[in-house]
Every structure is written in C-alpha cells, then in structure tokens.
Amino acid sequence: MSTPPTATPRPYSAIVVDGTDRAPARSMLRAVGFTDEDFRKPQIAVASSPSDMTPCNVHLGDLSEHARKGIAAAGGKPVYFNTITVTDGISMGTQGMRYSLVSREVIADSIETAVAAEGFDGLIAIGGCDKNMPGAMMAIARLNRPAVFIYGGTILPGFTPDDCDHKRPLDIVSVFEAVGKHAKGELDDAGLKAVESSAIPGPGSCGGMYTANTMATAIEALGLSLPNSSAQLAIGKEKREDCERAGAAVMHMLKTGLRPRDILTRHAFENAITVCLALGGSTNLILHLLAIAHCAEVPLTIDDFKVIGDRVPLLADLKPFGKYNMAHLVRIGGIRPMMKVLLDRGLLHGECLTVTGETIAETLRDVQPYGAYPAEQDIIRPWDQPIKKDTHLRVLRGNLAPTGAIGKITGKEGVYFKGTAKVYEGEEDALKGILRGDVVKGDIVVIRNEGPVGGPGMREMLSPTSAVAGRGLIKDVALITDGRFSGGSHGFDVGHITPEAACGGPIGIVRNGDIIEIDAVKNTIDLRIPDAEFAARMAANAPRPPREKRGVLAKYAKLVASASEGAVTDKHL
C-alpha cells in the first residue's frame, strides 16, 4: 500500500475531505451524519461482520458500538461498515462448506477495498469466526494503517436438562459426535435432540481450542489485539470494555505512528506459533498464519512450525482432545500466566511490540507464572508434566505428500499408524461409508479432491472425524485428506496433503487396499507400494477437470496457491 504524502493525524481522510474541490465528498458524508467538526477528526473504520447466520457473530454489532464509543472518546470519528461471514458449523458436511476458506479471501479483499477506497486513517476489525478473523488480519497487514483487532469472545458451554450438576459440558463438536453415536445405536432420537437443543446456549465462538479460539490466541500473541482480548466471554462487561479500550488504542497508534507491520515481525509470528502450540491449537493455525505473514511480507513456511514445535510442549488440556472448554480457561485467568511461563523459559521474544505501544515483556511484567492460576486447576499442566513434550501439529513429508502435510496428533491416539486405504472421492461419500459401518479398525480413510483447487475451497472434514469418534473408532482409524480438518476434529488425522489430487498429487493414485504408513515421530507419510508401481500409477494419473466454470469458486480455483503456501490467491500474480 502506498503511504500518504505528509505526516499528519489525518493522512488519508484529509485527501478525501479537505479543500474546496472535495465539497461533493463532504456533501455525501453530511447525509450520513458528519458535522463540520467531524471533518477535522481522524476517520477510523470499524469493520465487523454481525449476522444472524451464526452465534459466533450475532453479537458483533453490539460490540462495534462500544468500539465506536472508544474511538469517539479519544477524539476520532468512527465510521462503521459490515463485511460478510459464513459459518462452518452450519455449512459443514455440505457443498456450502466449499465457500468457507474462500470467504477468508473475500473478507480480506472487502475490508482492504472499503478502507483504501474511502480514505480511513485507521481501522478496528471485529471478528468472531474461523475465517473472518484471519481475513481481517490479512487486510490489516496489507493496508498497514493503525489498526487493532477485537475478538468477539468465546461461547459458554451448554448442558442437557438432565445434567443438573453441569458435569458434561457440550459444544458444537458434541452435536457432530452425537450424530455418530446415533448412527451406531448408542443414542436414540430423543437423546440426539437433547444434545442438539442444548449445546449452543447463546452468542460466542465455538467453545474449545478450535480455530476461532486458536486464532484469537494467535492474534493476541502477535500483538495486534489488547492483552487478554483472546480469553474473554462473548457476553459480559470485560468484552465491552475491551472494545472501548481498543478504540482508544487505535487513536494512540495514529498519534505515535505505530503501524501493523512494526508489530507483525518474524519474531512476532514465532511468538504466535509458540503460544498456540502450547495451547493445542488447530491445524488451521498454519494455513492462516502463512496467509497473514504473506500479506505482511514476512517470510514464513510450514517448516518453521516444525522447528518451533520441537521445543514447545503441549500444556493445555483443552478440547477437542482434552477435557475443558475455553470458558474454563477464562475462568482461571486466561492465557497470560502461561505466556509469562513461556517468556521466562526463553520461548517468547519479549521485545516484540503490541498495539498498546508496549512490548510483549512489558505487558506481562505484572503477571505471575502459574501462581496466577488457582492451585487446584489442571487445565494448564506444570512445565515438567506436559501432555506432550513437543508439538501436536506435525509437518509430514513422504511419497504421499512431497511438499508437505499437516497432522494433528497429540499422542493420545498414538504416534504411528499403518493401515489399509479406504478411498473416497469427497467428503459426502466418506461420511456415508463411515456411518454405514464400512470403515473398520485398521483402516485409513482417504478423502481426496477436497483441496483448494479440487474442492474447490478445501472443506473441513469435521463430519467424518466426528462420525469416527461417535462410532467408537477414534483410536482405531486414521483419516487423511487433501482438504482440511476442523479445529474441532481429533483423532489420528492428517490433512493439507500437497500436492493435492486436483494438481496431480500422489494422493490421487491411492487405491482401496493399499497400505499407508504414517509416523508422527519421523514425520513421514508414505504409500507402501513398489517404486515401479508408484511410478506407473503417477505416469497414468489424470486429475479430473475443474468442477466450476464460473463465479467465485472458479476464480478461487484458478488463483489459489497450495495449502503449504497458505492457500492465498495472490501468491503467484
């Protein structure tokens, strides 16, 4: 993005509204409420995605009012606009899910377009779902104007009416897994209805360390949201105050000249990776951080996650593979005490700046490591008693994934799997096969033609993984795909296989009955057939033609880069 010609508190809005020749622009703005005084104030965009489509976003309009209040109190003129969102939890398992990752690019493009076109001097972006959060961050990185991100907050857990003691907290993944239990006969229609009706009690993002909470954590660790913004409930005084403070913070950034790319350094991305790996974050972390780093022009590759992961233990016992929801972590003090532990252990770069103007170390100076948590808590493990001594996100390579794949393997499901391929051409066929009982112990479910190009859109495989869990096969079956796995998926799962089938990748030559070997210690994934047979199949491999000829999916498939490059759409322009 080009920089304004002069240093001024209104570097962009002055170009749009100052001078006699800009009278038409001022006339338009008077119609939406601008006064003479407003034209002399810095204009700060408040971009959000409120929507009745999803509980993750239903309250974001209310939060934006508090952000606008904070901007106005600090001397700025807030200007509000909306962008789109889609909800994975609703579209999951349908063709609509193909639009999910695509929406990240649409959101980034729309925020960049509105802010740059209208000459806003700064930006507050409010997100509460898997793709509007990284989409907003991509726009912030591209624009490089003073900006603060606000997380919409996590949802409270739900409970069925018969759980009077609230000992069985539910969330959206509980519903997906209940479908598998129902198919197996372990849950009747009334039981499924009870889970369905109780799991989502109100506003907020999905409750485990799924993608939304993972990205909220990453953004705070990057320094682009206020301290503790990632560990707050969607409803409550703390989140409203967070929004108002963010309004003041973006005005302070404007006055001091602090910009996002001053914050989004290579070391900042290393901090985000470290904190999220310790918390057990989603595989989507890799996809989204690669994309944000690309927009910020910071070099980052999938191999950086391996290097960092080798020294970061998994400390948090959070869903999907653990016992607790994010709301439980909020209750005991959030992520800040754990961040202080990581800082004291030399695993965080304390010199990195934040939107407050302070460094990470300065924002943590009054935080007590571990001691800030209640003595009886077991959500964040002691340093010498981790769930896993290194990362659960494994970067795998082999003849099945020459340019990389991502495994989400905590060790609870083992670290090695050798089994027989059951091949499905897409998610729907795989789900039907699992629910039918076709998949048995020792199988490796192969779901292909679901990558960024092949889908198009790289759908998440939460329905198949949840069906496997619901049928009691979570430790007995592996799933691999050139698509993605949801932050709510757990089990022996490997996604992001590249090259994908639609681009001639080896996953396209796997046949039913083939033996596949996955080693999460050696970080390998291989199709165990003779070399000559492998070469012959690859020579005969003919990817299917593009599925879409028009519209957003066709454009996406034409432009999108590999999952190992963040699946961005401007990588090779």
Side-chain angles (χ1 to χ4, degrees):
M1 295 296 160
S2 60
T3 56
T6 58
T8 165
R10 299 171 48 240
Y12 297 96
S13 63
I15 298 170
V16 175
V17 301
D18 286 4
T20 55
D21 63 320
R22 302 309 303 161
R26 292 193 298 274
S27 181
M28 295 283 284
L29 289 170
R30 289 181 191 279
V32 297
F34 271 63
T35 65
D36 286 343
E37 183 182 359
D38 290 332
F39 291 123
R40 295 188 288 271
K41 297 176 181 177
Q43 292 184 29
I44 309 297
V46 179
S48 183
S49 50
S51 170
D52 291 343
M53 291 165 59
T54 164
C56 311
N57 288 47
V58 69
H59 62 305
L60 298 190
D62 293 336
L63 294 185
S64 74
E65 293 182 7
H66 290 277
R68 285 178 271 176
K69 181 179 177 182
I71 293 166
K77 172 60 178 175
V79 182
Y80 180 56
F81 70 88
N82 294 341
T83 183
I84 68 158
T85 195
V86 300
T87 170
D88 297 359
I90 296 173
S91 62
M92 195 78 71
T94 74
Q95 290 295 307
M97 186 63 189
R98 295 191 294 162
Y99 290 87
S100 172
L101 187 58
V102 176
S103 77
R104 185 191 72 178
E105 309 305 302
V106 175
I107 291 162
D109 290 350
S110 67
I111 293 176
E112 176 196 340
T113 299
V115 171
E118 300 303 313
F120 294 120
D121 301 305
L123 167 65
I124 283 182
I126 309 174
C129 206
D130 291 20
K131 307 310 174 300
N132 58 47
M133 298 171 70
M137 284 294 295
M138 291 165 68
I140 287 171
R142 291 178 191 170
L143 289 160
N144 199 31
R145 303 182 189 191
V148 178
F149 180 85
I150 298 171
Y151 177 42
T154 191
I155 197 171
L156 288 165
F159 301 93
T160 54
D162 64 339
D163 185 10
C164 301
D165 296 328
H166 288 183
K167 291 184 178 180
R168 301 188 303 277
L170 304 173
D171 59 20
I172 186 60
V173 176
S174 307
V175 189
F176 279 95
E177 293 186 356
V179 172
K181 292 178 181 178
H182 182 269
K184 191 180 179 183
E186 289 185 1
L187 195 65
D188 61 16
D189 290 349
L192 178 60
K193 181 67 176 296
V195 174
E196 170 194 329
S197 303
S198 307
I200 312 295
S205 298
C206 297
M209 189 48 62
Y210 310 147
T211 302
N213 280 317
T214 298
M215 290 312 301
T217 299
I219 294 167
E220 180 176 337
L222 280 169
L224 256 294
S225 62
L226 294 177
N228 212 44
S229 180
S230 68
Q232 293 170 337
L233 298 177
I235 52 175
K237 179 181 178 182
E238 291 80 7
K239 182 48 68 180
R240 294 193 295 270
E241 290 177 345
D242 180 54
C243 294
E244 293 181 17
R245 288 196 304 271
V250 74
M251 290 298 294
H252 183 70
M253 291 177 72
L254 188 61
K255 292 173 184 175
T256 61
L258 182 62
R259 295 189 179 208
R261 293 198 190 182
D262 300 325
I263 296 168
L264 294 173
T265 63
R266 165 69 189 212
H267 279 177
F269 281 95
E270 291 180 3
N271 284 347
I273 294 168
T274 297
V275 175
C276 291
L277 294 186
L279 285 171
S282 163
T283 53
N284 285 315
L285 170 75
I286 298 178
L287 197 69
H288 296 326
L289 283 188
L290 289 174
I292 297 166
H294 168 72
C295 293
E297 299 185 77
V298 173
L300 193 71
T301 72
I302 58 172
D303 293 314
D304 293 315
F305 290 82
K306 177 192 181 304
V307 172
I308 295 170
D310 284 345
R311 60 178 183 259
V312 178
L314 174 56
L315 297 174
D317 194 14
L318 294 169
K319 289 186 175 183
F321 50 78
K323 293 189 294 184
Y324 296 103
N325 290 92
M326 189 66 179
H328 296 111
L329 182 57
V330 170
R331 188 180 304 158
I332 67 165
I335 72 169
R336 306 291 290 174
M338 192 199 73
M339 286 181 65
K340 186 61 176 290
V341 172
L342 295 170
L343 178 68
D344 289 350
R345 295 274 175 172
L347 293 177
L348 293 184
H349 300 287
E351 81 284 358
C352 290
L353 287 171
T354 73
V355 291
T356 66
E358 294 185 312
T359 65
I360 285 284
E362 287 170 338
T363 67
L364 292 169
R365 60 180 170 264
D366 296 326
V367 177
Q368 296 298 314
Y370 281 122
Y373 291 132
E376 68 278 7
Q377 72 87 24
D378 61 347
I379 301 174
I380 302 296
R381 295 285 189 87
W383 185 264
D384 58 354
Q385 299 175 37
I387 294 171
K388 194 172 184 289
K389 65 180 179 60
D390 57 5
T391 181
H392 62 298
L393 297 185
R394 315 303 294 183
V395 179
L396 310 174
R397 282 189 172 84
N399 69 4
L400 199 51
T403 55
I406 306 299
K408 185 178 183 180
I409 302 168
T410 66
K412 290 185 176 181
E413 57 288 289
V415 294
Y416 176 86
F417 201 104
K418 187 175 183 179
T420 304
K422 282 262 174 73
V423 182
Y424 296 96
E425 303 291 346
E427 180 184 6
E428 286 87 354
D429 287 346
L431 181 61
K432 290 175 184 176
I434 294 165
L435 293 177
R436 240 188 348 250
D438 295 351
V439 174
V440 298
K441 182 177 180 179
D443 282 345
I444 295 182
V445 178
V446 180
I447 308 174
R448 65 190 178 200
N449 287 301
E450 289 287 5
V453 175
M458 203 181 182
R459 290 192 291 178
E460 293 178 345
M461 304 293 120
L462 180 57
S463 294
T465 59
S466 297
V468 167
R471 293 189 68 86
L473 294 169
I474 198 71
K475 294 184 178 181
D476 301 316
V477 168
L479 292 93
I480 68 171
T481 182
D482 52 9
R484 297 181 291 138
F485 287 111
S486 164
S489 293
H490 63 114
F492 207 101
D493 305 329
V494 179
H496 304 211
I497 289 179
T498 60
E500 60 175 290
C503 295
I507 190 173
I509 68 170
V510 181
R511 298 175 182 172
N512 284 321
D514 285 345
I515 300 300
I516 295 173
E517 183 179 36
I518 307 167
D519 191 323
V521 176
K522 295 179 180 178
N523 296 320
T524 56
I525 178 168
D526 290 293
L527 177 61
R528 291 304 183 191
I529 60 175
D531 291 345
E533 173 70 7
F534 187 96
R537 290 192 198 179
M538 286 298 292
N541 188 23
R544 69 184 188 188
R547 296 180 62 181
E548 301 292 338
K549 305 294 187 183
R550 296 287 184 274
V552 65
L553 292 178
K555 288 188 286 186
Y556 182 83
K558 184 73 171 178
L559 293 172
V560 69
S562 162
S564 291
E565 299 175 303
V568 294
T569 52
D570 60 353
K571 180 84 173 181
H572 304 299
L573 295 180

